Amino acid sequence: MKIKSVELETVCGITSELPANAHPEVAFAGRSNAGKSSLINCLMQRSSLARTSSSPGKTQTINYYNINEELYLVDLPGYGYAKISRETAEKWGRMIENYLTTSEQLRAVFLLVDIRHEPTKQDLQMIDYLACLEIETVVIATKADKIKRSQLQKNLSIIKKSISENTNAPSDTIILPFSSVTGQGREDVLDLMDQVAEGL
């Protein structure tokens, strides 16, 4: 997929009604410190399309990015790290759940985990939840630039084993290494998004 145009088209808060889009949607989810905003900016090759911050939890809404007038990238609020009240966290959780269970155009979820660590309990719960909903899930192991190249396959194997032993995710779940700094994995993610847009 070549990014010809991208526009932040719709922003939904806790009380907003989700849009009835005509194009397929791919959602991006993950812990608040998994580097989701940086990944989106890297994919779209825009330095400040999605807000990044040293304080995780900046994405507090569901943001719909219209790509090439043919696909929506849906940026979901992060979970599990931001310094927010339990009440707010529960509202974000309900907002994410509402999107995942009611969007008629959702085709796949790209779930971000930190390649340096085993998936957290919340990561595994999310992966298992997506499996129960039978939503195609791609796991993106971010921050690949922060480990040595020789550690890459070992860390990916640890993540795969953890997902296999602790969730009902399909055994062929794709796990991709990614770096927003070097661009590693960018073309792989865009290719998968392209496949989704074409209904493959």
Side-chain angles (χ1 to χ4, degrees), residues 154-174:
K154 177 185 175 182
N155 288 36
L156 291 174
S157 295
I158 290 172
I159 292 170
K160 183 175 183 177
K161 181 181 179 182
S162 179
I163 292 172
S164 174
E165 293 180 349
N166 297 288
T167 76
N168 291 307
S171 58
D172 59 351
T173 296
I174 297 172

Side-chain angles (χ1 to χ4, degrees), residues 2-164:
K2 290 187 177 181
I3 307 300
K4 301 170 185 175
S5 65
V6 56
E7 177 186 359
L8 176 57
E9 185 173 291
T10 309
V11 176
C12 293
I14 291 171
T15 60
S16 302
E17 184 174 337
L18 299 177
N21 289 323
H23 302 307
E25 300 168 3
V26 291
F28 282 73
R31 280 173 59 83
S32 298
N33 60 342
K36 184 156 53 64
S37 295
S38 296
L39 178 143
I40 291 172
N41 289 334
C42 177
L43 288 178
M44 301 298 107
Q45 294 188 319
R46 307 289 197 279
S47 61
S48 58
L49 186 67
R51 293 178 61 190
T52 59
S53 171
S54 57
S55 301
K58 282 296 181 184
T59 303
Q60 301 179 16
T61 52
I62 298 177
N63 300 328
Y64 291 76
Y65 296 93
N66 186 329
I67 302 173
N68 299 343
E69 296 292 336
E70 62 183 25
L71 175 72
Y72 284 96
L73 185 161
V74 183
D75 183 12
L76 300 176
Y79 55 82
Y81 185 89
K83 295 179 179 179
I84 56 175
S85 68
R86 177 176 293 181
E87 180 183 3
T88 301
E90 289 175 352
K91 287 180 180 178
W92 287 6
R94 289 195 297 271
M95 184 163 57
I96 294 171
E97 181 181 5
N98 179 53
Y99 171 76
L100 293 175
T101 56
T102 64
S103 172
E104 295 183 358
Q105 293 291 357
L106 177 62
R107 298 294 182 265
V109 171
F110 290 73
L111 185 75
L112 280 62
V113 300
D114 190 326
I115 198 170
R116 298 172 296 177
H117 311 291
E118 283 193 49
T120 67
K121 181 180 179 180
Q122 288 170 315
D123 291 330
L124 295 171
Q125 287 175 340
M126 177 64 84
I127 292 169
D128 203 39
Y129 182 53
L130 292 169
C132 289
L133 294 176
E134 298 184 343
I135 297 173
E136 182 178 350
T137 303
V138 176
V139 176
I140 303 180
T142 62
K143 307 185 181 183
D145 57 284
K146 295 186 180 294
I147 63 171
K148 295 178 181 178
R149 185 171 296 183
S150 58
Q151 294 177 294
L152 187 68
Q153 291 305 319
K154 177 185 175 182
N155 288 36
L156 291 174
S157 295
I158 290 172
I159 292 170
K160 183 175 183 177
K161 181 181 179 182
S162 179
I163 292 172
S164 174

